[in-house]
Amino acid sequence: MESLVLFTICLMTIENVRSLPVEMPTATYLQQRAQIVNGEANLRVGGSIQLSAREQQVNRLLMVAKGKEINSSRTTNGPSFLPSIHFFHGKDLIEESEVFQIIKTMPKGGGLHLHDCSMADITWLVKTVTYMDHCYMCTDQNNHIKFHFYQTPPSNPGCPWKLIATERQNASDKEKFDQMLYNSMSLIVPDPVKTYPTKDVVWKALYRVWDVANGLINYEPVFGKYFHQALKEFHEDNVQYLETRALLPVLYNLDGSTIDNRTFVMELYKQNLDQFVKDHPDFTGGRIIRSGYKFVSTSDVLQQIKESIAMLQQYPQLFAGYDLMGQEDHGIPLIEYISAIVYPSQQNITLPYFFHAGETNWEGTPTDNNLIDAVLLNTSRIGHGYALTKHPETMKLVKSKGIAIEVNPISNQVLKLVDDLRNHPASSLLAEDFPVVISSDVPALWGARGLSYDFYMAFMGMTGADTDLAMLKKLAINSLQYSAMSPSEKRTAITLWQNKWEQFIDRILGDEPPAVPFVGKQ
Amino acid sequence: MESLVLFTICLMTIENVRSLPVEMPTATYLQQRAQIVNGEANLRVGGSIQLSAREQQVNRLLMVAKGKEINSSRTTNGPSFLPSIHFFHGKDLIEESEVFQIIKTMPKGGGLHLHDCSMADITWLVKTVTYMDHCYMCTDQNNHIKFHFYQTPPSNPGCPWKLIATERQNASDKEKFDQMLYNSMSLIVPDPVKTYPTKDVVWKALYRVWDVANGLINYEPVFGKYFHQALKEFHEDNVQYLETRALLPVLYNLDGSTIDNRTFVMELYKQNLDQFVKDHPDFTGGRIIRSGYKFVSTSDVLQQIKESIAMLQQYPQLFAGYDLMGQEDHGIPLIEYISAIVYPSQQNITLPYFFHAGETNWEGTPTDNNLIDAVLLNTSRIGHGYALTKHPETMKLVKSKGIAIEVNPISNQVLKLVDDLRNHPASSLLAEDFPVVISSDVPALWGARGLSYDFYMAFMGMTGADTDLAMLKKLAINSLQYSAMSPSEKRTAITLWQNKWEQFIDRILGDEPPAVPFVGKQ
């Protein structure tokens, strides 16, 4: 409070003040007011959920923790409110949050917006994959690292291949060496605002680190293991189901030969998923969404769509549909691909779409209008949909058609759509029970694991201080409800989730021993 | 575009591609799509306005300029998009914008959200007021300056008064000296992110610089002149009407005596307004909204409300109503003042309210709920309403009751609610024809004048690339329509505005000589 100004104000008002009993507002007024407050509470995601007595007990613990965090940050000189600061600075602090700890143990359902090559912790790539035999690296003139497995590396002028084992051996500090490898595949930097002044710069870095990691991931003996590691991490984060946007890339062997066969890649996904589900009966499974880049020609997209149709027939349980991805602001708008996109329906074939759309703040541009096309072209869900709240007619369609919006809070912050997540437009969608699901996009790139960090951001930054466990519960249910599973699979998944939820409630209330990582059937 | 990644992608997709004629989307599809695009265009503020042929000509010029700015910023390595960067860095660049030049010459109607002591350029205070006789300054131990007029300054240990004329005379660089005086009343700093890391810090600075400026403004011979200067600047910015949130402060005389008489202050406002309107027949006039601070007791507020009732009777043409202001996050919520706020209606007296509400990003807190109380307590307009889009039920009431939202884009940026104005929630309100008016709050604090900078921010940052002159026109009309004027006064004001609008169209089309500052009836 500003003593000087307030002093002046007080001087101005104190004189002639008559004493007045501070009356309570009338009952009628309080009733009117409660009607709006409750109306808004009922309207939001989870607003229709009635918490049981035991859930209410957990909710009280959660809300005390939430209130404590919010109130301490609202105090002058209080700590930064974590959803308002950059995730690179906030991550460690989030991990100390009680709310985060509760969210971590909560069964969160499914992750529906994830990209194949950034789902598992980069630490695993460094500590496991780069320790494998025959792993080479090179450093180009820009000091950018590349990785590749070779029996005998070819000559590579400008970026000569060196055996990582030897390089690490020769390094004065092996931990520093490994950190350098980690950094080459991550977006994390000490000063993200300075390092990434624009969206273009951070996207360029994203493409580059993807390419670096793919040098390791696309090695045939690694590819399946990487996916397994992703499943393991999400499972440990109490996620039971994953839908992966997959490039289905060309893999390579040690002898330099390549495996240019998407069915082969799908088989790797299938085997690993099947095995994981077998080993973890509390894991539902996953789906693959083939994702092409929205930079290629219409005929390329048509080709991918035709292949997707074939894959849907070959893997009806595993293959979910098709998407177009990449930095949307520089991508070709969906409308330009329309002749390819409508091909399945022209053939009376159903190929579900899961289009990225509206991952932009350039309102009124062709990019922005992707939202309209995604909806008209019957997308099953919308990836990001960041711009949706600027499109009132499209919003109505999204709601009436039940098209889920895949919101990825941290991604939108790191990729520079919004700094303070309290300004994320999805807060309006959450306030009005839009079919929102929370996902983590490419969590590995910023050192996140699973969905908990993004659930934390959504719950703390994109909902009110009075929004509670009911929304978290509904977000988890949404993630299964709006998945690509069949109705009967959904029922099974939700039943499984319900059991996990009850265990979660028991655990928080101390009626069950602390969770231990699930290690299979034995 | 990322050559490496794209190269990989292309390799993956080029093979086996069959040539495909790029088909145009079907007519039916384009029709469906156009229905949504047009539906959204019609729905937005100004969507129902049909531009005349001549307005369309101006619109084409405007939209070419708007498109050029947006497209150049969308290009990789293009210039920063001005609504996305801090106003302190963008101001000079905005002044070079063609869109800004058009907006500057456009008749913008009224400014409905402005605070008494920050409406006129600080340069005028420095270059005119501090050059007046008997103007003293002191510099305290924190290097903070204070101003006061004195015949003979009292002893002031810790901050000894010095005659500015002498100080300036002794300064090695008079321009630097004056700049120092300017800085003491302004928020402008070279690095706002560093200087103002939190909302509390910038608000503290705001209160401080207000206090400094008030040392000059509240000198009785200056007070009316300052208001005149504000009228002059807004008039020069093609604004024809002003509603001022006024503290109605205690003024002081040279001999140290004070004028603790709000009627005296109202008289100064009245004389200056009447004279200005007389001298400028193209200026409609203004209103005063008494604003108390939301830090005082309920009995203080009741006292102010009672005085406001008396003032409304005494100055029915000039006095508009009552408001409560101050950093809302630390202020007392409206609900706690309710017994005072309902006093007029209990007496069957109408006292219009113009409450600040929802100037917060702390959703679900008592501060945030001010929005609900403001609406239920029949506020005529809402100051800021930044949090409104998180309140769907309150939004419905705002729309059905026709409560205008006073949006102050630059203020919300400088006072740290939002960095990139494309994330300002009012973009959703503008997209759905909410009764929005654009104002500038305390423009002097960041070196803005009038309304043009804020109109520029709203038009460029908070509307789409396809949003045009019709919205600007509607925003100008809204500002008169939602003013505190009587219906007949509004009609007169809008007729006057209409003439100015036609002149503006003529001028842009080159059919009329360039505007010269209007200098009275002669």
Side-chain angles (χ1 to χ4, degrees), chain A residues 375-388:
Chain A
V375 168
L376 285 182
L377 294 166
N378 289 318
T379 196
S380 297
R381 299 191 302 261
I382 291 172
H384 295 290
Y386 186 85
L388 184 62

Side-chain angles (χ1 to χ4, degrees), chain B residues 283-319:
Chain B
F283 193 81
T284 297
R287 290 287 187 283
I288 300 298
I289 297 166
R290 171 143 194 211
S291 298
Y293 274 96
K294 47 178 79 179
F295 304 110
V296 299
S297 70
T298 304
S299 39
D300 287 344
V301 169
L302 182 67
Q303 177 67 15
Q304 292 170 14
I305 283 175
K306 286 181 176 172
E307 288 174 8
S308 296
I309 292 169
M311 264 178 197
L312 191 59
Q313 282 160 348
Q314 196 176 350
Y315 299 99
Q317 301 269 328
L318 177 61
F319 192 83

Side-chain angles (χ1 to χ4, degrees), chain A residues 35 191 281 306 361 376 466:
Chain A
Q35 209 174 331
D191 189 345
K306 286 182 177 173
N361 44 22
L376 285 182
D466 54 346

Side-chain angles (χ1 to χ4, degrees), chain A residues 246-308:
Chain A
L247 286 167
L248 307 179
V250 175
L251 306 185
Y252 69 91
N253 297 308
L254 198 59
D255 63 5
S257 63
T258 55
I259 306 163
D260 188 359
N261 182 337
R262 276 173 273 283
T263 306
F264 183 88
V265 176
M266 282 298 289
E267 280 299 321
L268 286 177
Y269 279 131
K270 186 169 166 14
Q271 286 158 20
N272 276 281
L273 255 177
D274 288 350
Q275 190 58 46
F276 198 86
V277 170
K278 209 172 145 200
D279 294 344
H280 305 83
D282 71 332
F283 194 80
T284 297
R287 290 286 188 283
I288 300 299
I289 296 165
R290 172 145 194 210
S291 298
Y293 273 96
K294 48 178 78 177
F295 303 112
V296 298
S297 70
T298 305
S299 38
D300 288 344
V301 169
L302 182 68
Q303 178 66 14
Q304 293 170 14
I305 284 175
K306 286 182 177 173
E307 287 174 9
S308 296

Side-chain angles (χ1 to χ4, degrees), chain A residues 2 13 17 29 33 40 74 76 200 207 300 304 363 373 386 390-391 394 417 419 422-423 465, chain B residues 2 13 17 29 33 40 74 76 200 207 300 304 363 367 373 386 390-391 394 417 419 422-423 465:
Chain A
E2 300 321 293
T13 51
V17 160
Y29 183 82
R33 189 181 197 267
E40 292 185 342
R74 288 183 71 200
T76 303
D200 283 348
Y207 283 132
D300 288 344
Q304 293 170 14
E363 189 182 352
D373 289 303
Y386 186 85
K390 299 178 181 181
H391 290 273
T394 314
L417 280 170
D419 293 325
R422 289 174 296 183
N423 287 322
Chain B
E2 300 320 294
T13 52
V17 161
Y29 183 82
R33 188 181 197 267
E40 292 185 342
R74 288 184 71 200
T76 304
D200 283 348
Y207 284 131
D300 287 344
Q304 292 170 14
E363 189 182 351
T367 304
D373 290 303
Y386 186 85
K390 299 178 182 182
H391 290 273
T394 315
L417 281 171
D419 293 326
R422 289 174 297 183
N423 287 322

Side-chain angles (χ1 to χ4, degrees), chain B residues 16 66 198 221 227 301 396 509:
Chain B
N16 298 326
K66 184 176 187 177
T198 67
F227 184 59
V301 169
K396 278 185 218 158
L509 295 180

Side-chain angles (χ1 to χ4, degrees), chain A residues 57-75:
Chain A
Q57 276 182 271
V58 172
N59 193 38
R60 275 191 287 275
L61 297 172
L62 175 72
M63 295 307 279
V64 166
K66 184 177 187 176
K68 227 175 1 184
E69 262 185 69
I70 290 174
N71 288 332
S72 71
S73 291
R74 288 183 71 200
T75 315

Side-chain angles (χ1 to χ4, degrees), chain A residues 359-434:
Chain A
E359 190 184 3
T360 185
N361 44 22
W362 286 115
E363 189 182 352
T365 60
T367 304
D368 187 45
N369 282 340
N370 279 341
L371 272 172
I372 297 174
D373 289 303
V375 168
L376 285 182
L377 294 166
N378 289 318
T379 196
S380 297
R381 299 191 302 261
I382 291 172
H384 295 290
Y386 186 85
L388 184 62
T389 57
K390 299 178 181 181
H391 290 273
E393 291 289 331
T394 314
M395 279 174 89
K396 278 185 218 157
L397 286 174
V398 160
K399 205 161 195 182
S400 66
K401 289 184 167 200
I403 299 171
I405 310 298
E406 303 162 351
V407 175
N408 305 283
I410 300 171
S411 168
N412 296 154
Q413 187 194 56
V414 174
L415 298 180
K416 296 187 80 72
L417 280 170
V418 61
D419 293 325
D420 183 337
L421 284 168
R422 289 174 296 183
N423 287 322
H424 195 295
S427 58
S428 299
L429 302 178
L430 289 167
E432 227 178 326
D433 199 20
F434 271 76

